[in-house]
């Protein structure tokens, strides 16, 4: 099991993915002080201010059915939020599928990239990329995301080393993966539901026809799929994409 620390790289996910393709073991990881091309979900850029954030990617080769791979994404968000709550003593919410929120602002996010579809079953892997704003002050965030972003430094009076957080996240991720391999995801999904920041809120998302659909978030089901009921009472299952809180409009929901 290799744990690599880099001063600077394009993306720890990219490095970890390459290592995984070359056969790196379950539990191997890559962390960096900064990234020049940090990747976010949906092709977005992940701002990686040097030394201020946690930029870490963990390689997993879970002994799970392929259908359960998407639930590992939820597990990762849950584990990181649990670890940070314990260490920093602040409540952390989860926005589906795996954004970390404090007081309505984004603290971090997770980008999971899985092995190619044509991969042999025995070679399958996932790279769990974790980005957390740790030592940022408000001005460290680019202007366009400043009012919507926060950091542990802003939210808590505690100041802990980034490598300490990473060690705790790695240990808990590996132990919870062992647990789900044995017992399944029921406990993870019910723990996740306790931290769901969208439940009961009016949200907006873009459907497959590129239309904006609004509705009330009903929470995740037993497969980890988000359920949203629109104004006409139709229930939508959200498998991927971006879901945001509707800001100004009020819908008539029963
Ligand atoms: C998101 O909220 O859009 C997910 C952000 C994930 C960022 C992390 S930082 C470490 C790892 N390397 C990357 O390039 N991305 C992830």
């Amino acid at each position: 099991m290799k744990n690599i620390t880099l001063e600077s790289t394009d993306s720890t996910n990219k490095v970890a993915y390459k290592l995984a393709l070359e056969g790196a073991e379950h539990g191997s990881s890559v962390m960096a002080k900064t990234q020049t091309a940090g990747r976010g979900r949906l092709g977005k850029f992940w701002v990686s201010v040097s030394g201020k954030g946690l930029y870490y990617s963990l390689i997993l080769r879970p002994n799970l059915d392929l259908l359960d791979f998407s639930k590992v994404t939820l597990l990762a968000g849950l584990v990181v939020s649990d670890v940070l709550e314990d260490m920093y003593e602040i409540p952390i919410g989860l926005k589906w599928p795996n954004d970390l929120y404090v007081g309505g602002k984004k603290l971090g996010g997770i980008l999971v990239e899985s092995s190619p579809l044509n991969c042999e079953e025995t070679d399958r892997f996932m790279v769990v990329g974790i980005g957390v704003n740790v030592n940022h002050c408000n001005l460290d965030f680019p202007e366009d995301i400043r009012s919507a972003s926060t950091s542990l430094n802003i939210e808590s009076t505690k100041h802990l080393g980034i490598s300490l957080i990473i060690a705790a996240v790695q240990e808990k991720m590996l132990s919870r993966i062992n647990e789900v391999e044995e017992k399944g995801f029921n406990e993870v999904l019910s723990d996740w539901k306790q931290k769901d920041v969208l439940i009961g809120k009016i949200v907006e998302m873009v459907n497959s026809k590129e239309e904006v659909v609004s509705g009330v978030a009903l929470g995740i089901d037993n497969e980890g799929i988000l359920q949203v009921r629109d104004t006409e009472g139709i229930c939508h299952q959200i498998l991927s994409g971006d879901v945001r809180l509707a800001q100004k409009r009020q819908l008539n929901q029963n």
Side-chain angles (χ1 to χ4, degrees):
M1 191 160 102
K2 253 196 223 164
N3 294 303
I4 296 174
T5 302
L6 302 168
E7 237 353 85
S8 173
T9 187
D10 46 4
S11 152
T12 56
N13 260 36
K14 194 170 161 195
V15 177
Y17 200 92
K18 187 165 175 284
L19 290 172
L21 285 173
E22 289 164 3
E25 268 181 77
H26 175 79
S28 301
S29 68
V30 180
M31 65 164 283
K33 280 205 181 129
T34 185
Q35 303 181 113
T36 52
R39 300 172 180 167
R41 283 183 66 243
L42 309 168
K44 291 181 193 158
F45 180 73
W46 186 256
V47 179
S48 307
V49 187
S50 182
K52 302 248 171 168
L54 179 157
Y55 316 114
Y56 165 76
S57 301
L58 176 65
I59 297 169
L60 298 176
R61 297 185 185 276
N63 186 10
L64 292 169
D65 193 295
L66 195 55
L67 289 172
D68 280 335
F69 268 41
S70 61
K71 294 180 197 139
V72 174
T73 313
L74 298 175
L75 182 146
L78 181 67
V79 163
V80 178
S81 69
D82 282 348
V83 166
L84 296 177
E85 273 184 348
D86 277 359
M87 294 177 95
Y88 286 84
E89 295 171 356
I90 49 171
I92 298 180
L94 294 167
K95 174 177 167 280
W96 185 91
N98 47 20
D99 284 347
L100 305 166
Y101 267 72
V102 181
K105 296 187 177 189
K106 184 156 169 168
L107 176 75
I110 287 157
L111 174 68
V112 176
E113 297 183 284
S114 298
S115 45
L117 286 174
N118 60 359
C119 187
E120 292 290 328
E121 197 177 329
T122 47
D123 294 338
R124 275 186 200 141
F125 65 83
M126 309 179 85
V127 170
V128 179
I130 300 167
V132 180
N133 306 324
V134 180
N135 295 318
H136 299 62
C137 59
N138 206 247
L139 289 176
D140 287 321
F141 297 110
E143 221 176 315
D144 56 328
I145 58 166
R146 195 169 290 158
S147 63
S149 305
T150 194
S151 72
L152 292 165
N153 175 52
I154 295 169
E155 299 295 336
S156 168
T157 49
K158 297 207 164 193
H159 300 285
L160 303 165
I162 291 173
S163 41
L164 209 68
I165 308 174
I166 289 179
V169 166
Q170 179 151 327
E171 193 190 324
K172 189 141 192 176
M173 268 303 290
L174 295 177
S175 77
R176 280 215 95 164
I177 283 286
N178 279 343
E179 266 171 45
V180 295
E181 284 174 344
E182 281 170 25
K183 297 193 263 169
F185 280 87
N186 287 350
E187 199 178 303
V188 167
L189 294 176
S190 81
D191 290 352
W192 199 98
K193 286 176 191 170
Q194 303 302 313
K195 295 189 171 187
D196 184 350
V197 296
L198 291 182
I199 195 153
K201 304 253 167 62
I202 308 296
V203 296
E204 287 177 342
M205 68 257 159
V206 177
N207 69 12
S208 52
K209 294 179 206 148
E210 300 286 305
E211 301 158 338
V212 176
V213 182
S214 305
V216 65
L218 304 176
I220 55 168
D221 68 8
N222 291 341
E223 291 305 311
I225 297 169
L226 179 66
Q227 313 287 313
V228 174
R229 192 180 61 221
D230 71 18
T231 36
E232 278 149 31
I234 299 166
C235 212
H236 299 257
Q237 295 203 316
I238 316 299
L239 298 164
S240 62
D242 214 5
V243 178
R244 57 173 186 252
L245 281 172
Q247 293 292 320
K248 294 189 182 100
R249 290 189 294 137
Q250 264 305 329
L251 295 187
N252 238 346
Q253 293 288 335
N254 300 317

